[in-house]
Amino acid sequence: MTNPFGVRAVINASATLTALGGSLMPPSALKAMTEGAAHFVDLPELHDRVGERLAALTRNEAACVTSGAAAAITLTVASCVGEPARAFPADAEVVMFTGQRNGYDYAARLTGARIVEVGPSIEELRAALVRRPACVLWFAGAHYAADALPIEDVIRVAGELAGPPAVPVIVDAAAQIPPVSSLWRFTTELGADAVIFSGGKGLRGPQSSGLVLGKRWIVDRCRAHASPNQQIGRGMKVGKEELLGLYAAVEWTLEQDEEALLASYEQIVDRWVVGLRGVPGVVAERGYPSEAGQPHGRAVVRLLTTSGWTRDGLVRALWDGDPRIAVGVFGVPDDAIALNPQTIEPGEDLVVLDALVRHLSVCGRSGFSPGGPPA
């Protein structure tokens, strides 16, 4: 990466993190964005046409592109709270499982809705639904599953509620690709009213894009609440470049051999685990699933006290090295790092392995224990 700002490129062995740029776009998505940037268009019309094509590609009733998954939460919740051009009710509620409360709560609360927590029980969920909340917001991923009901139960219980209007079930599946079947599983197969994805993670589209798929009434309201309309989503602008880039990325993703892709991830993990065998003070093993619950492994590298390293020290040393390398710390013990193959470009896995072996071997011999703040 060359630039006039002195910002170094990163080998990303961590994850599709926003702070690292999400993911890398395929050539077709880059080409689509460049072509889009060269022309003026009727932006609402382009929104409609792209949405129609995305709905067809993903086996959904309707689709719309947003300025990221967090914006998609705001727009879908707003769509459930009320119609555009009307004041939102002051007593709107959004039901969430206590164990799924997270840093994206604000995206729902921007509408003025109050979050109502429930535990992982059918009875608590039913009691909350009787109050006729605006929607249920459910977060997908293995790291959110322990203290929540399965989505199948949530959809079933919501469907059993007597009398209209039904309480919509919204699924946030921002990082749940792979598997690509997530694009239709939650909605078309299981019956959720809408599902949300990040455009810049597993789909490998523009980082500042997101995707809402599901029932037409929700998608139509999302569009009406969003830019260029003067509504709650006016600042959540989606340009023609993001529209075309995300469409091309979804098309590209659906053309890939997912089985072969996942197999290639496992091969990378295996090379990391095998390559770290015999390094003093280190235990490397395959962890499954990924930190976001995706169906592939990652290498979990534990640092014994005999390694001479702290976890934070090793993270910092890799980040400060040449090349700069980012590794994961989410969902692993305090004495471990995680290496994720999803964001590794061809050949970079060997660069990561070489850097780890070099750092760990030098430190093991010298007994020096570097410090440094967490990455």
Side-chain angles (χ1 to χ4, degrees), residues 85-133:
R86 295 187 181 181
F88 288 146
D91 58 349
E93 296 178 348
V94 174
V95 174
M96 287 181 64
F97 288 96
T98 301
Q100 293 191 346
R101 295 293 300 270
N102 61 75
Y104 297 97
D105 288 1
Y106 74 89
R109 291 188 284 108
L110 278 176
T111 63
R114 182 173 69 89
I115 292 177
V116 175
E117 295 185 8
V118 296
S121 76
I122 297 292
E123 293 73 20
E124 285 192 48
L125 178 60
R126 282 190 178 130
L129 292 178
V130 168
R131 297 165 56 91
R132 296 289 174 180

Side-chain angles (χ1 to χ4, degrees), residues 64 66 69-84 86 88-89 91-96 104-116 133-139 167-172 193-196 212 217-219 221-223 225-226 232-233 236:
C64 74
T66 66
I73 294 174
T74 299
L75 293 173
T76 52
V77 170
S79 299
C80 297
V81 169
E83 296 182 26
R86 295 187 181 181
F88 288 146
D91 58 349
E93 296 178 348
V94 174
V95 174
M96 287 181 64
Y104 297 97
D105 288 1
Y106 74 89
R109 291 188 284 108
L110 278 176
T111 63
R114 182 173 69 89
I115 292 177
V116 175
C135 63
V136 179
L137 180 58
W138 189 90
F139 285 79
V167 176
V169 176
I170 310 301
V171 174
D172 182 297
D193 297 88
V195 62
I196 293 164
V212 178
W217 74 266
I218 289 183
V219 170
R221 284 193 180 183
C222 284
R223 288 276 291 105
H225 278 300
I232 191 172
M236 304 170 189

Side-chain angles (χ1 to χ4, degrees), residues 179-360:
V180 73
S181 59
S182 293
L183 290 169
W184 53 84
R185 176 177 175 265
F186 293 105
T187 48
T188 303
E189 294 181 359
L190 298 182
D193 297 88
V195 62
I196 293 164
F197 297 97
S198 170
K201 294 186 183 292
L203 288 173
R204 292 185 61 175
Q207 185 182 11
S208 56
S209 68
L211 183 60
V212 178
L213 303 170
K215 292 185 177 177
R216 181 166 299 282
W217 74 266
I218 289 183
V219 170
D220 285 349
R221 284 193 180 183
C222 284
R223 288 276 291 105
H225 278 300
S227 178
N229 302 306
Q230 303 291 330
Q231 302 294 329
I232 191 172
R234 181 62 179 88
M236 304 170 189
K237 185 180 295 183
V238 179
K240 56 189 186 298
E241 298 82 7
E242 285 76 26
L243 284 165
L244 295 172
L246 182 57
Y247 174 77
V250 171
E251 198 172 42
W252 179 87
T253 297
L254 290 168
E255 292 171 352
Q256 303 310 298
D257 183 338
E258 186 169 75
E259 185 176 345
L261 178 66
L262 294 176
S264 72
Y265 290 168
E266 296 300 339
Q267 290 170 359
I268 292 172
V269 172
D270 186 63
R271 283 198 290 271
W272 279 331
V273 171
V274 172
L276 290 169
R277 286 178 184 164
V279 175
V282 172
V283 176
E285 58 187 5
R286 175 181 180 267
Y288 185 92
S290 73
E291 78 292 332
Q294 298 155 322
H296 64 78
R298 56 181 181 160
V300 177
V301 184
R302 296 196 65 177
L303 304 170
L304 307 180
T305 55
T306 54
S307 71
W309 284 92
T310 64
R311 191 266 298 277
D312 294 342
L314 181 59
V315 168
R316 176 58 64 188
L318 291 167
W319 182 257
D320 288 342
D322 187 13
R324 171 170 280 180
I325 297 172
V327 296
V329 296
F330 182 78
V332 294
D334 291 342
D335 62 352
I337 62 171
L339 308 177
N340 188 338
Q342 185 184 13
T343 42
I344 288 292
E345 290 292 286
E348 289 182 343
D349 58 308
L350 298 179
V351 178
V352 172
L353 177 61
D354 178 70
L356 275 170
V357 171
R358 186 171 66 253
H359 281 300
L360 292 167

